[in-house]
Amino acid sequence: MEEANQTVVSEFIFQGLCASKELQIFLLLPFSTLYLLTVVGNLFVVILIIIDHHLHSPMYFLLANLSFIDFCLSSVTTPKLTTDLLKDNKTISFGGCMSQILCVHFFGGGEMVLLVTMAYDRYVAICRPLHYSSIMDRQKCIWLVLISWIIGFIHAMSQLILILELPFCGPKVIDSFFCDIPLVMKLACMNTDTLGIVINADSGVLATTCFILLLISYTYILLTVQLHSKDGSSKALSTCTSHVIVVVLFFGPCIFIYLWPVSITWVDKFLAVFYTVVTPLLNPAIYTLRNKDIKNAIKKLMNHM
């Protein structure tokens, strides 16, 4: 009997962003527009880098992968969030919820490692320019990207396996717009305090390790730029500034959500929206607006049309 009682939940219900029906309808257009811009912006960067042979360098290969991950990360939650704004009953199947958890951590974890890889690429380009082409050859770039996807997958699977072990037998209302692990764990029919520490440690170790490696890389790069000649320093600083902005925008909400001891619902929802909807749109904007090579490639493309 006990076994039968523990597998009752076949779906979860989202409370969504807010209770006001008017506000939800008002938010429909902005969120639809943001998602459309994210898809168009990121896929445009990927296609531009593929078709323009001037952009066939390690930095742009990594940037194309970042844009693709951002497109995927946004697509996990934003379409559901947008369509749910029109619904009174915002449900998601148990399988759908577990898929969201898997994909958010897969793409999120992969992006963290990819940002470290991009920092390593900039470190080699600025601190060891003469050896750049031999260190960052095509094969190494492909391996670095593969490693970021593999680490993302291992991280996501480790989180999902722990969640799938939990018994869900009653409460099924999630006070958010997507299946976030801390909120799903609260619905389990057992004490999840210890498991919560393990899961937070898993995410925390990956996020903190990547963040520390990024801080070390960019500090070293900036010191190298300051010490050496001023000729190429402005371009190097401009590229690094773009990278640093993206890193802060990506890791800021992530670290706050998982490491902040006090949970404030509206703050968590705002940061979750920022992390899954706004950041994937800002990444292509930041890189394209600040990058001369990409601007030139866009101009060239426009001239051919």
Side-chain angles (χ1 to χ4, degrees):
M1 275 304 290
E2 212 175 337
E3 284 280 308
N5 286 340
Q6 289 195 339
T7 53
V8 175
V9 174
S10 61
E11 64 175 24
F12 293 103
I13 299 161
F14 292 139
Q15 285 194 333
L17 281 176
C18 56
S20 164
K21 190 71 194 159
E22 291 78 15
L23 184 56
Q24 285 184 49
I25 290 164
F26 172 75
L27 289 171
L28 183 66
L29 185 63
F31 279 119
S32 303
T33 309
L34 281 172
Y35 181 62
L36 184 67
L37 289 170
T38 301
V39 171
V40 172
N42 282 297
L43 292 183
F44 177 72
V45 170
V46 173
I47 293 161
L48 189 70
I49 289 167
I50 291 168
I51 62 171
D52 193 312
H53 68 275
H54 291 109
L55 301 177
H56 290 184
S57 68
M59 183 173 94
Y60 295 111
F61 175 68
L62 297 173
L63 178 56
N65 274 277
L66 179 72
S67 287
F68 182 69
I69 288 184
D70 277 329
F71 158 69
C72 295
L73 185 62
S74 183
S75 298
V76 175
T77 55
T78 316
K80 172 86 177 133
L81 159 65
T82 310
T83 53
D84 276 353
L85 290 169
L86 294 169
K87 297 177 189 170
D88 291 324
N89 196 19
K90 310 177 200 318
T91 58
I92 187 169
S93 67
F94 183 84
C97 184
M98 294 303 117
S99 300
Q100 271 199 342
I101 287 171
L102 178 72
C103 292
V104 164
H105 285 268
F106 175 40
F107 297 124
E111 181 157 340
M112 284 182 192
V113 183
L114 189 64
L115 287 169
V116 174
T117 304
M118 291 174 82
Y120 173 70
D121 171 71
R122 290 301 83 208
Y123 159 75
V124 177
I126 292 163
C127 303
R128 301 185 65 189
L130 299 176
H131 302 99
Y132 181 70
S133 54
S134 59
I135 295 172
M136 291 299 290
D137 59 20
R138 189 177 178 80
Q139 199 175 6
K140 189 166 200 175
C141 282
I142 292 166
W143 268 110
L144 287 168
V145 168
L146 271 175
I147 288 164
S148 66
W149 285 97
I150 291 163
I151 291 173
F153 183 71
I154 292 166
H155 166 66
M157 286 305 293
S158 67
Q159 301 270 299
L160 187 67
I161 288 163
L162 292 169
I163 291 291
L164 285 171
E165 292 294 306
L166 294 174
F168 296 98
C169 54
K172 53 182 182 179
V173 178
I174 297 171
D175 190 8
S176 186
F177 60 89
F178 77 108
C179 286
D180 199 11
I181 286 182
L183 299 174
V184 173
M185 271 171 44
K186 283 180 186 173
L187 306 179
C189 304
M190 63 175 277
N191 187 300
T192 57
D193 291 350
T194 311
L195 188 68
I197 293 165
V198 172
I199 282 177
N200 267 1
D202 184 338
S203 289
V205 165
L206 180 65
T208 311
T209 305
C210 290
F211 195 59
I212 289 167
L213 287 171
L214 286 162
L215 281 177
I216 293 166
S217 300
Y218 287 119
T219 305
Y220 197 87
I221 288 166
L222 292 171
L223 288 172
T224 306
V225 168
Q226 272 198 320
L227 290 170
H228 291 74
S229 68
K230 297 280 181 279
D231 305 337
S233 64
S234 60
K235 191 184 177 186
L237 272 174
S238 175
T239 309
C240 284
T241 308
S242 300
H243 284 231
V244 171
I245 292 167
V246 167
V247 165
V248 170
L249 289 174
F250 185 81
F251 279 88
C254 187
I255 288 169
F256 195 91
I257 288 167
Y258 282 95
L259 301 180
W260 197 254
V262 183
S263 181
I264 306 161
T265 307
W266 72 267
V267 174
D268 287 349
K269 282 184 186 181
F270 172 77
L271 290 171
V273 166
F274 193 83
Y275 178 75
T276 57
V277 182
V278 182
T279 307
L281 170 64
L282 288 176
N283 285 0
I286 289 164
Y287 282 112
T288 49
L289 292 173
R290 296 181 62 90
N291 189 296
K292 206 174 272 183
D293 294 336
I294 288 188
K295 279 185 203 168
N296 290 338
I298 293 168
K299 276 180 197 164
K300 214 160 60 177
L301 191 70
M302 294 300 177
N303 292 336
H304 283 303
M305 283 179 169

